[in-house]
Amino acid sequence: MVEVKNQVINLKMYIDGEWKDAENQETRPVINPANGEVIAYAPEGTIEDARAAIFAARTAFEDGVWSGLSAQERASYLFKIADKIDQYADEFTRLETMDNGKPLREAGFDVADAAACFRYYAGLITKPDGYTYHVADPIQAMVVREPVGVCGLIVPWNYPLLMSVWKIAPALAAGNTIVFKPSEVTPVTPKKLFEIFEDVGLPKGVANMVIGAGPVVGNEVASHPEVDMVSFTGGTKTGKHIMKAAADTMKKVSLELGGKSPNIIFADADFETAVDYALFGIYAGAGQVCSAGSRILVEESIYARFVARFAERAKQIVVGPGDDPSTEMGPLVSQQHLEKVLHYIELGKQEGATVACGGNRIVHSGLGKGYFVEPTVFIDVKQEMRIVQEEIFGPVVVIQKFKDEEEAVKLANGTVYGLAGGVFTNDGAKGLRVIKKLRSGITWVNSYHPTYNEAPWGGYKQSGIGRSLGTFGLEEFQEIKQININLQVEPIGWFSN
C-alpha cells in the first residue's frame, strides 16, 4: 500500500499479488511539475523485476484463474473497479494533478472517463461475439474469440490514469493477464489503480505493475518470448524500437504513436466557434496531447483576422498550478520536456518563423520553480520547417494559410503523421468531402478533441498500428479461432486401402 512520510509517497511495484521494491532497491524521485518538488519515490525496476512479473502473468494465464472465468464473472470485477474509482474520484483527481500538472478540471474529466471505460468493457464483454458460417455438409463451422495471453501494456505520462485504463480495461475484459508499465515520470495514479485491483480481489498474477525506465523494463516486456502481445502508447521513435524488439518473437503489436494534426478553418466557418475550438485543440493539456491540433490551416481571406483573434485570446489563457481553480493551462510535465519544447521554439525562430505571441518560459508570479511555457503561436511558416513537420508536444502551434480545398488537403496530409484532424465549415458537403481526404484516423467537423470510449482511437502512417477503444479496442486483445465440427463421424475414404 502507499506509505506517506513527510508528505512524500513511497511507491512500490505490484507483482504476483504482492507490493515490492525494485530488485536492486534503487528508486527515482517523482516531481510535481508545478513547483519542482519531490512528491514520491518510485522503484527503479530492473530486468529481473520485469521477468518476475512476466512469469507471474504467464502462470496465472496458464492456470486459468482469470481466462477460465465466465465473461459475466470478469465483468463483475470490472464493474467493482469502476465503482471504486468513483469512490476515490477526489483523491485520484488530486493525485493526477500533483503527478502530471494538469488542471483539476481536466484531471476530473479523466477520472470519470476512466470509470466509464471499465463499465463500457464490462458491458461489452458479455454481449454476443463470434459467428457461425455455412459450409458444405456435414461440417458445422464457427469462429470464436479468445484472449491473446500475456499482454505487455506500456503507457505515457500525459494521461497517467486514463491511458492506463484504455489498455487495462479491454485487456482484462478479454481474459488476458497483464504486465503493466506506467511512465516512470507519472506513476502515482497508476499505483492507486492497482490498490483498487487488490481491494476488489483480482486473482494474484492477473495484473502486475513494474515501474522503471523504458529502455530497461519496457524493452524486456517487448522482447520477452513469454509475452504474447505488447500494446504501447507514446512517441513514434520509441514505437519503432518496440516494434523491432517484438519482431524476434513475432508477438502481436499495437502502437498508438505521435501526431502533427491539422485543423482546417474555411472562410465560411462560424468564426468564433473555429477560434474557440482551435484554442482548445492545441492548449488543452498544455499541448501535451498526441491528437493536438498543432497545425492550424486557415483560408487566406480570413487568415489575418484569424491570427489576430487567436493570438489575442491565447494571451488571455490563465497559466498556473493545476490545483488553482482559476488555472486554465498547467505546466509541462518535466524539466527535460520543458527544455525540449523551448528548444523547438528557438528552432522555429532560427528557421525564420515569426512568433505572434508567447515563446517564453514563465518565471513570474511565483511560477519560476515550475515548468511553465506561454501559449505560443508561430506564423510565416513554411511546410518544410521542423516546427511544422515534427511533434513538439507542447503549447506551440503553427498557423498556415491556404487558397482552396486542394491546397488545404495537400498541406494537411504533408507530414509523416496521420493521427487526427479537424475541419471547420458551414458547408456540410465540403466538410465531409475534405474529412474523407484526410489521411487521419480520428477526425472532427466543427469540433475538436472530444473522444468517446465507444469509438476507435488510432492513426494512419507513422501515427501507429491498430486501434484502442470501442469494439476495435477489445478485438486488439483477442485472437480469432476457426472451429470446424464434423457432424457425420465416419471414415472419409480418401485412400482406397
Side-chain angles (χ1 to χ4, degrees):
M1 302 294 286
V2 168
E3 300 174 21
V4 181
K5 296 179 180 179
N6 299 323
Q7 303 304 311
V8 175
I9 304 169
N10 291 309
L11 302 176
K12 293 182 182 293
M13 299 183 291
Y14 192 69
I15 300 175
D16 201 19
E18 296 183 7
W19 298 103
K20 297 183 177 181
D21 294 317
E23 185 268 341
N24 58 12
Q25 299 297 307
E26 292 184 7
T27 62
R28 72 162 64 203
V30 179
I31 306 298
N32 183 337
N35 55 28
E37 295 179 358
V38 175
I39 59 172
Y41 285 97
E44 190 65 77
T46 65
I47 290 176
E48 289 73 23
D49 294 317
R51 289 174 178 170
I54 292 167
F55 177 78
R58 171 56 60 191
T59 300
F61 183 75
E62 298 299 340
D63 288 349
V65 296
W66 184 250
S67 60
L69 298 181
S70 68
Q72 289 79 6
E73 288 173 312
R74 294 198 302 274
S76 70
Y77 279 96
L78 300 191
F79 279 125
K80 290 175 184 176
I81 292 168
D83 290 343
K84 287 288 185 180
I85 293 175
D86 285 341
Q87 180 182 339
Y88 294 107
D90 290 343
E91 182 180 355
F92 268 116
T93 300
R94 179 180 60 82
L95 291 174
E96 188 87 342
T97 292
M98 187 169 62
D99 199 17
N100 168 273
K102 63 179 60 185
L104 287 169
R105 64 175 179 175
E106 290 185 23
F109 280 121
D110 291 352
V111 173
D113 204 20
C117 188
F118 271 109
R119 290 194 179 96
Y120 172 75
Y121 283 108
L124 184 62
I125 197 62
T126 61
K127 302 303 182 287
D129 68 354
Y131 53 88
T132 61
Y133 54 97
H134 298 288
V135 295
D137 289 337
I139 299 297
Q140 171 66 61
M142 66 183 71
V143 169
V144 297
R145 295 186 180 276
E146 298 180 339
V148 173
V150 175
C151 296
L153 312 178
I154 305 172
V155 299
W157 45 255
N158 56 334
Y159 288 85
L161 176 65
L162 188 57
M163 288 289 185
S164 303
V165 172
W166 279 15
K167 295 185 186 300
I168 293 173
L172 292 181
N176 301 286
T177 57
I178 65 170
V179 178
F180 169 75
K181 193 198 92 63
S183 168
E184 60 271 31
V185 179
T186 55
V188 176
T189 44
K191 169 62 165 57
K192 178 65 180 176
L193 180 63
F194 270 72
E195 288 181 359
I196 286 177
F197 294 166
E198 181 183 47
D199 194 25
V200 302
L202 211 60
K204 290 183 177 182
V206 171
N208 306 274
M209 177 177 66
V210 184
I211 304 172
V216 178
V217 174
N219 185 72
E220 184 65 19
V221 170
S223 60
H224 200 285
E226 290 295 336
V227 175
D228 301 297
M229 173 184 177
V230 60
S231 178
F232 169 78
T233 297
T236 297
K237 181 179 179 180
T238 305
K240 291 177 180 179
H241 177 83
I242 285 175
M243 204 171 177
K244 292 175 183 177
D248 284 345
T249 55
M250 292 295 290
K251 58 172 54 70
K252 192 173 184 180
V253 175
S254 177
L255 304 172
E256 199 268 280
L257 307 177
K260 193 71 177 177
S261 300
N263 190 4
I264 303 171
I265 316 295
F266 285 97
D268 63 358
D270 184 279
F271 185 80
E272 290 297 332
T273 297
V275 170
D276 199 54
Y277 271 103
L279 289 161
F280 182 57
I282 181 58
Y283 298 127
Q288 301 170 120
V289 182
C290 55
S291 57
S294 54
R295 293 185 295 137
I296 303 175
L297 312 180
V298 184
E299 194 165 358
E300 60 182 4
S301 63
I302 63 166
Y303 179 81
R305 179 188 173 203
F306 185 92
V307 168
R309 179 60 173 152
F310 186 92
E312 175 190 20
R313 289 200 56 190
K315 293 174 183 177
Q316 297 171 2
I317 292 173
V318 180
V319 181
D323 59 2
D324 184 338
S326 67
T327 291
E328 296 176 323
M329 191 181 89
L332 299 181
V333 75
S334 67
Q335 176 70 33
Q336 181 182 16
H337 191 58
L338 170 72
E339 292 171 358
K340 173 190 173 184
V341 172
L342 292 176
H343 172 72
Y344 268 108
I345 291 173
E346 289 306 310
L347 185 63
K349 295 174 183 177
Q350 293 170 15
E351 288 181 315
T354 301
V355 178
C357 76
N360 303 296
R361 180 178 183 178
I362 303 174
V363 296
H364 57 76
S365 304
L367 302 183
K369 294 182 179 180
Y371 313 130
F372 297 92
V373 173
E374 295 172 332
T376 300
V377 178
F378 276 108
I379 58 174
D380 302 325
V381 299
K382 298 179 180 178
Q383 186 74 359
E384 66 272 15
M385 288 181 175
R386 288 181 62 185
I387 60 170
V388 176
Q389 291 294 320
E390 299 178 15
E391 185 178 43
I392 299 173
F393 219 63
V396 182
V397 70
V398 297
I399 305 182
Q400 301 171 265
K401 67 175 68 173
F402 65 86
K403 295 179 181 179
D404 52 27
E405 279 186 47
E406 182 179 1
E407 185 179 21
V409 170
K410 181 179 179 181
L411 291 173
N413 289 334
T415 75
V416 299
Y417 297 106
L419 186 57
V423 174
F424 283 80
T425 175
N426 280 327
D427 183 335
K430 178 166 62 177
L432 183 56
R433 189 166 61 239
V434 173
I435 279 291
K436 291 180 70 174
K437 292 178 181 178
L438 293 188
R439 298 287 293 164
S440 303
I442 310 156
T443 61
W444 300 270
V445 176
N446 293 324
S447 179
Y448 205 97
H449 263 335
T451 58
Y452 308 95
N453 290 314
E454 296 82 0
W457 182 274
Y460 293 16
K461 300 190 284 185
Q462 292 190 33
S463 286
I465 298 171
R467 293 295 184 270
S468 299
L469 298 180
T471 57
F472 303 88
L474 180 63
E475 291 167 3
E476 289 285 301
F477 293 100
Q478 294 175 316
E479 293 283 16
I480 299 172
K481 176 176 287 184
Q482 175 190 154
I483 300 175
N484 300 290
I485 303 171
N486 185 0
L487 302 182
Q488 187 173 327
V489 183
E490 60 184 31
I492 191 172
W494 185 264
F495 301 104
S496 58
N497 293 309

